[in-house]
């Protein structure tokens, strides 16, 4: 626990170096400077439930994924939903209006799918897609014509169930690769308890012809038996390449969560005892900076209380769940957490955490699981919530933000109405809900990136913003459980009127953006 005490102490007292992401100026009193920000309010502004979703049938039981991005080329962020009955385009038609329709795919019906990720794969300026399928159905790369009509290219030699997917340059060759978290098992509890399941990790490297080719030996063999629901990309030890954090289900019986450390050429090894190897029932992992030290931390979901892990900057983690008041007791309303996202909801410059909850409903007796509490009750509809960051020293739980109980599976973040602050898209069995945020502090800054050929959206870039003398850090790492947040980052400024921005690209190049006014939406190019 030496790591945890050191990180929390450094954050609490601040420090003289801006580059070290010290805490805010405390003034003469030693207390954080007071702000007059308003309470945060979340309002449900759009929803699709059950058969209001075009591809959903009464027999559907699988859960969806949702990605945010402008796929129709009109400048408005849309939603692409992955559903077993076919992918769905939720078309943003402005002023809070949406049209839901089956995704248009040349020559075939909209594919059955369960996960989705977006990126400009062919450098033509629009967003293409990966649609991950269930066992027995093909997964596809979907190439956009710029209007939301797609041409489908089935992924060869990829027979897996892709539960989540993430794009990033894994092998250091300046183009995008793909990690797909695989869960090649039905919920056969007897087989799982016997310790046998899983189909290996799916790392697909893009070759010179733009093909995504499976690299079966890239991940260490001791992860082959894992049931992974998400592989969260991050640079865990700050060496400039993207590592992968595996969020694994049934960790007490099969493979615990693992940090796959990249050698820079997409050859991965397990980190050993990094402190992140949790033997839990992980459904996802959010990546963000919880304590303001400029290193990527993890929020790991679970059956039972989830976990906040602080990174010391060298890839070593300490469990700060209790110390930072991020502990969420297991109750019938908060038993099974799935997706988690770091986002500065109230724009005070500190990343909050949104956690989605929903019952398993799979016939599994949760009280019989390893490490379970016999009093647990797995209600189908549970209460999602957000943890409000209190200046990097602790979190304050807000149960009133989401007024409805639901069977949630994930959360994605994006500025859907282009007002400069993010909305939340909650999705689950079987619904998609959009929540608009208001209140909080003054306007922040929204940043999109124009990367080099091969990585046009700037995946893996780091954005540092100096706000009132303190550096706050974000990363272009949009993957979430089964889906993807928008390809932009949001920097709250508290009550400040400006921030000084710097972008460090995935290849190590640096763009000094300079001062940006509050309320700005800016696009930063690799060669600006």
């Amino acid at each position: 626990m030496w790591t945890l005490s050191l990180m929390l102490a450094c954050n609490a007292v601040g420090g003289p170096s801006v580059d070290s992401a010290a805490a805010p100026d405390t003034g003469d009193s030693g207390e954080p400077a007071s702000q007059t920000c308003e309470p945060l309010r979340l309002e449900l502004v759009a929803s699709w439930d059950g058969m209001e979703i075009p591809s959903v049938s009464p027999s559907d039981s699988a859960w969806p994924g949702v990605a945010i991005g402008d796929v129709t080329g009109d400048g408005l962020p849309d939603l692409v939903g992955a559903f077993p009955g076919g992918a769905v385009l939720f078309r943003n038609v402005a002023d809070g209006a949406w049209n839901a329709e089956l995704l248009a795919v040349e020559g075939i019906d909209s594919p059955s799918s369960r996960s989705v990720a977006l990126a400009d794969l062919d450098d033509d300026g629009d967003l293409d897609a990966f649609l991950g399928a269930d066992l027995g159905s093909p997964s596809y790369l979907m190439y956009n014509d710029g209007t939301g009509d797609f041409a489908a290219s089935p992924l060869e030699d990829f027979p897996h169930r892709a539960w989540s997917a993430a794009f990033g340059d894994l092998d250091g060759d300046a183009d995008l690769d793909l990690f797909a978290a695989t869960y090649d098992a039905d919920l056969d509890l007897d087989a799982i308890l016997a310790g046998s399941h899983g189909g290996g990790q799916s790392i697909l490297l893009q070759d010179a012809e733009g093909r995504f080719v499976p690299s079966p030996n890239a991940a260490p063999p001791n992860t082959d038996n894992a049931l992974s629901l998400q592989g969260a990309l991050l640079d865990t030890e700050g060496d400039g390449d993207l590592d992968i954090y595996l969020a694994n289900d049934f960790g007490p019986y099969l493979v615990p969560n693992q940090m796959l450390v990249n050698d820079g050429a997409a050859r991965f090894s397990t980190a050993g005892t990094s402190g992140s190897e949790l033997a839990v029932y992980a459904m996802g992992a959010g990546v963000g900076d919880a304590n303001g030290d400029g290193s990527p931390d993890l929020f790991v979901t679970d059956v039972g209380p989830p976990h906040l892990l602080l990174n010391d900057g060298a890839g070593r983690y300490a469990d700060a769940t209790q110390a930072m008041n991020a502990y969420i007791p297991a109750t019938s309303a908060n038993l099974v957490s799935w997706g988690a996202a770091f986002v500065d909801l109230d724009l005070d410059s500190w990343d909050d955490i949104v956690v989605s909850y929903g019952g398993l409903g799979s016939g599994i007796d949760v009280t019989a699981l390893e490490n379970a509490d016999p009093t647990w009750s797995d209600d189908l509809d549970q209460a999602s919530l957000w943890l409000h960051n209190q200046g990097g020293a602790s979190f304050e739980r807000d149960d009133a933000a989401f007024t409805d109980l639901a069977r949630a599976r994930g959360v994605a973040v994006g500025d859907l109405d282009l007002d400069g602050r993010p909305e939340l898209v909650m999705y689950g069995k079987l619904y998609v809900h959009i929540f608009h945020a208001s209140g909080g502090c003054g306007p922040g800054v929204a940043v999109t990136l124009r990367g080099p050929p091969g990585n046009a959206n700037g995946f893996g870039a780091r954005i540092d913003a100096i706000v009132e003398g303190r550096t706050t850090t974000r990363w272009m790492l949009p993957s979430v459980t089964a889906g993807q947040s928008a390809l932009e980052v949001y920097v709250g400024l508290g009550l400040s009127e400006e921030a000084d921005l710097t972008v460090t690209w995935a290849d190590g190049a640096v763009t000094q953006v300079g001062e940006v006014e509050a309320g700005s939406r800016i696009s930063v190019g690799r060669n600006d």
Side-chain angles (χ1 to χ4, degrees), residues 70-71 73 119-129 142-151 451-457:
D70 176 18
V71 298
D120 183 358
L121 298 178
D122 50 9
D123 292 322
D124 64 352
D126 56 42
L127 288 177
D128 309 301
M142 312 283 289
Y143 292 93
N144 192 352
D145 70 356
T147 69
D149 290 345
F150 290 84
N455 188 1
N457 308 113

Side-chain angles (χ1 to χ4, degrees), residues 24-372:
D25 181 11
T26 58
D28 294 336
S29 68
E31 297 296 328
S34 63
Q35 295 188 352
T36 56
C37 301
E38 299 177 6
L40 180 78
R41 298 177 294 277
L42 290 177
E43 177 187 4
L44 180 64
V45 294
S47 63
W48 299 266
D49 295 275
M51 295 187 66
E52 294 174 346
I53 300 169
S55 67
V56 167
S57 70
S59 63
D60 279 343
S61 61
W63 53 286
V66 173
I68 302 173
D70 176 18
V71 298
T72 58
D74 60 1
L76 299 173
D78 309 299
L79 309 181
V80 177
F83 293 89
V88 174
L89 170 62
F90 299 87
R91 187 187 297 266
N92 189 344
V93 294
D95 300 323
W98 296 79
N99 291 332
E101 59 205 58
L102 285 172
L103 194 71
V105 185
E106 180 182 347
I108 63 171
D109 294 334
S110 182
S112 172
S113 48
R114 67 179 310 125
S115 61
V116 58
L118 302 177
D120 183 358
L121 298 178
D122 50 9
D123 292 322
D124 64 352
D126 56 42
L127 288 177
D128 309 301
F130 166 81
L131 287 177
D134 213 332
L135 292 174
S137 298
S139 294
Y140 288 95
L141 292 175
M142 312 283 289
Y143 292 93
N144 192 352
D145 70 356
T147 69
D149 290 345
F150 290 84
S153 176
L155 274 173
E156 303 294 338
D157 302 319
F158 184 78
H160 304 292
R161 173 189 283 132
W163 212 284
S164 299
F167 286 109
D169 181 10
L170 300 178
D171 57 3
D173 64 354
D175 61 23
L176 291 179
D177 307 301
L178 178 66
F179 177 82
T182 55
Y183 196 115
D184 289 354
D186 295 320
L187 282 178
D188 181 346
L189 189 58
D190 290 337
I192 290 172
L193 299 187
S196 177
H197 255 313
Q201 301 307 316
S202 296
I203 296 170
L204 295 91
L205 303 180
Q206 188 175 177
D207 67 14
E209 284 73 43
R211 296 172 300 190
F212 284 77
V213 180
S215 182
N217 298 318
N222 61 331
T223 65
D224 286 351
N225 206 34
L227 294 179
S228 302
L229 274 82
Q230 186 186 359
L233 303 188
L234 72 165
D235 183 2
T236 184
E237 74 276 62
D239 63 353
D241 54 41
L242 288 176
D243 310 297
I244 305 171
Y245 184 67
L246 295 183
N248 294 335
D249 198 4
F250 291 100
Y253 304 99
L254 299 175
V255 181
N257 293 0
Q258 295 290 321
M259 183 68 71
L260 303 187
V261 178
N262 194 348
D263 70 353
R267 293 183 294 265
F268 293 87
S269 59
T270 50
T273 54
S274 71
S276 64
E277 300 80 19
L278 304 180
V280 297
Y281 306 89
M283 313 298 186
V287 176
D289 187 3
N291 62 342
D293 67 352
S295 297
D297 306 312
L298 295 164
F299 190 87
V300 182
T301 59
D302 196 1
V303 178
H307 315 270
L308 175 62
L309 304 180
L310 293 187
N311 185 346
D312 70 352
R316 296 172 297 184
Y317 290 84
D319 191 325
T321 312
Q322 296 276 7
M324 292 192 70
N325 198 35
Y327 180 75
I328 303 171
T331 67
S332 59
N334 296 121
L335 180 65
V336 186
S337 51
W338 294 82
F342 281 81
V343 56
D344 185 4
L345 269 183
D346 61 349
L347 301 178
D348 66 352
S349 80
W350 294 91
D351 258 352
D352 310 303
I353 305 172
V354 181
V355 192
S356 61
Y357 275 87
L360 292 171
S362 57
I364 292 177
D365 179 5
V366 294
T367 65
L369 296 174
E370 181 103 6
N371 304 327

